[in-house]
Amino acid sequence: MNELETLRAAVRNELELLWGDLERARERALNGEWSMQCDFLVERIKDLTRLVGPTPWDCVGPLLLEDGTYQRVHAELGIEAPVDMVAIARHRAGDAERYRRR
């Protein structure tokens, strides 16, 4: 891997981590919805996404996919980032079933 590929991989990894940070910031937001921290993280996500493209949807927490945050961020950048909502629903249903069996 050359230096440019290494840098791109590092940026992609950072983007994935930022999406996780955003999901946690949403959970901790005073109103449970959004905060200034969320705004800050979205701007960082946008900056890095402009450099390397979108983080794959399956690397982002389901909350940010289900509420449209992931889609909105990419739409604001003019970047297509389709999400397989059927796969997400199946995953959630599987989680609910495993929880129910406990």
Side-chain angles (χ1 to χ4, degrees):
M1 192 181 298
N2 66 36
E3 283 185 39
L4 184 56
E5 290 170 348
T6 301
L7 182 57
R8 283 188 179 136
V11 172
R12 285 188 189 102
N13 183 61
E14 179 64 15
L15 260 172
E16 192 173 327
L17 294 172
L18 286 170
W19 281 107
D21 291 346
L22 179 58
E23 187 163 41
R24 284 183 294 283
R26 285 277 313 275
E27 292 168 355
R28 290 188 310 258
L30 182 60
N31 60 5
E33 293 290 323
W34 206 256
S35 66
M36 289 173 46
Q37 178 70 17
C38 294
D39 286 335
F40 171 74
L41 290 166
V42 164
E43 290 309 309
R44 290 182 61 203
I45 288 168
K46 286 180 176 181
D47 288 344
L48 296 182
T49 299
R50 285 182 186 101
L51 297 173
V52 297
T55 299
W57 67 264
D58 57 345
C59 295
V60 175
L63 171 68
L64 299 174
L65 301 168
E66 292 170 338
D67 74 0
T69 299
Y70 175 86
Q71 298 88 324
R72 177 184 56 80
V73 167
H74 291 96
E76 289 173 2
L77 291 170
I79 295 173
E80 295 247 352
V83 175
D84 185 348
M85 296 306 288
V86 173
I88 294 166
R90 268 187 258 144
H91 177 76
R92 286 285 208 191
D95 285 349
E97 181 63 23
R98 283 186 292 280
Y99 182 78
R100 188 184 62 76
R101 289 181 187 169
R102 288 184 190 182

